[in-house]
Amino acid sequence: MNAPFRSLSDPSNSALAGLDDVVRGLRAARERWRLAQHRALESGAREFPSRDALREIVERLCGALFPMRLGPPDLKQGHSEDFYVGHTLDVALRSLVDQVRLELQHVARHDREVDATSIKKQAVDVVRQFAAALPDIRVLLDSDVEAAYRGDPAARSVDEIVLCYPGTLATIYHRLAHTLYRLGVPLLARIVAELAHSATGIDIHPGASIGSSFFIDHGTGVVIGETAVIGQRVRLYQAVTLGAKRFTVDAEGALEKGSPRHPLVEDDVVIYAGATILGRITIGRGSSIGGNVWLTHSVPPGSIVTQAFARNEILGDGGGI
């Protein structure tokens, strides 16, 4: 017979002696944090959205968007496909209402004029708008998949793009996260973005605006900041950064949130591996930015920027690369 379970706090477990003191210390640390953050004592109900719940929601949404590729293996086209999509959306969206409600409730926790009924109504409205956007998201994603297939000679089919490419997975999650971001639930959007980041190594802030036919090739290490604006038919390779050069501060020295600080990338731009593009600058339409280039000033349409060009700029006039 198996030995009976022994509590971790059982004094006879000498290696774990003092566990009660650890528990009390952790409680004291939580209380100090909540006091410093002006948080009320917990009511007993969950206060924040759940990463695990959102992971399940997004996986279901991916299946509903691409049922024959990301749905269950025994699914068949036709009536059963529509039934699966409808059922999956029903489960996912009902769960999403609960997560949206948690975020809205947390934001309004100090507003005594907002009650639970109005928050639930607002959450339902947000999710209805999100659901209504799903057909357009699918159309955008189709353009992204086609762009990947056209842009990668190693791709043998569009199905391979959806099933295998981390850049496509990150883009699917971003399209969903960006919609949530625009609908006023940025914490949920950020969690969805970080789920993609964890799975793919591609970090796209949900606030970034990205046009159709977007393709991230290979993808590992790509970083796209919150206020970046990317046009149509743009292609990025691995380890590209679209970041901020500097951060503005207010009169008290605190960072200003949400100010435009990331690049504007116009249509038909290609940015090769390892390029770092910083600040609120514009990369003109049809430009090509070479690998490992460090760029901090705007370039006109049709530019070709390489490391050699960058060195010439610095040696010639000290210009801002």
Side-chain angles (χ1 to χ4, degrees):
M1 294 179 62
N2 293 330
F5 174 76
R6 181 178 292 169
S7 170
L8 292 178
S9 58
D10 188 329
S12 63
N13 282 320
S14 58
L16 299 172
L19 188 59
D20 289 341
D21 291 338
V22 175
V23 173
R24 284 191 292 271
L26 289 172
R27 182 177 68 242
R30 293 195 304 270
E31 289 172 352
R32 284 194 299 271
W33 168 261
R34 288 167 184 159
L35 181 63
Q37 299 297 319
H38 308 290
R39 299 282 175 83
L41 291 177
E42 291 182 348
S43 63
R46 184 176 182 90
E47 185 179 4
F48 298 103
S50 163
R51 282 177 63 99
D52 290 340
L54 281 165
R55 182 181 290 106
E56 291 184 7
I57 289 167
V58 175
E59 287 177 355
R60 291 180 186 275
L61 291 172
C62 288
L65 286 166
F66 295 96
M68 300 307 299
R69 298 167 185 165
L70 303 180
D74 57 348
L75 185 64
K76 297 180 180 179
Q77 288 185 341
H79 178 71
S80 62
E81 188 179 11
D82 283 344
F83 178 83
Y84 162 76
V85 170
H87 173 72
T88 300
L89 285 177
D90 182 66
V91 174
L93 295 174
R94 286 178 186 274
S95 181
L96 184 58
V97 169
D98 291 336
Q99 299 306 308
V100 171
R101 177 183 56 79
L102 285 169
E103 177 167 351
L104 297 177
Q105 188 171 281
H106 178 68
V107 171
R109 65 190 182 280
H110 299 308
D111 189 346
R112 297 184 179 181
E113 296 182 2
V114 178
D115 58 23
T117 301
S118 64
I119 287 177
K120 178 64 178 292
K121 182 177 181 298
Q122 187 180 353
V124 170
D125 183 58
V126 167
V127 174
R128 282 177 176 165
Q129 292 181 67
F130 176 81
L134 289 173
D136 288 338
I137 291 174
R138 168 63 201 247
V139 171
L140 266 178
L141 290 170
D142 284 345
S143 76
D144 300 328
V145 171
E146 291 169 357
Y149 180 68
R150 291 193 305 268
D152 186 359
R156 296 179 179 275
S157 69
V158 291
D159 303 298
E160 180 184 355
I161 300 294
V162 177
L163 291 169
C164 303
Y165 279 44
T168 298
L169 180 63
T171 301
I172 293 172
Y173 274 53
H174 175 73
R175 300 292 189 195
L176 296 171
H178 183 66
T179 303
L180 291 170
Y181 185 90
R182 290 191 297 105
L183 289 172
V185 280
L187 178 57
L188 262 63
R190 190 62 185 268
I191 293 172
V192 172
E194 289 307 317
L195 291 173
H197 185 193
S198 297
T200 66
I202 297 169
D203 183 1
I204 310 177
H205 193 285
S209 178
I210 300 177
S212 61
S213 300
F214 180 58
F215 176 32
I216 303 176
D217 200 355
H218 304 294
T220 304
V222 165
V223 177
I224 301 175
E226 177 187 17
T227 62
V229 179
I230 299 175
Q232 300 181 62
R233 299 174 300 280
V234 170
R235 188 192 327 166
L236 308 182
Y237 286 83
Q238 67 270 23
V240 165
T241 296
L242 303 180
K245 182 179 179 183
R246 61 175 59 90
F247 305 103
T248 56
V249 297
D250 61 22
E252 298 178 353
L255 290 178
E256 292 185 1
K257 305 291 186 178
S259 59
R261 59 196 183 279
H262 299 103
L264 308 175
V265 180
E266 295 184 344
D267 298 346
D268 302 301
V269 168
V270 179
I271 305 176
Y272 287 95
T276 298
I277 302 173
L278 302 179
R280 194 61 167 183
I281 64 175
T282 299
I283 307 302
R285 178 172 184 159
S287 293
S288 178
I289 309 301
N292 297 313
V293 164
W294 180 279
L295 190 60
T296 58
H297 68 79
S298 296
V299 297
S303 296
I304 298 176
V305 182
T306 66
Q307 283 187 304
F309 171 83
R311 284 194 295 271
N312 288 336
E313 284 270 319
I314 293 170
L315 293 173
D317 60 11
I321 291 183

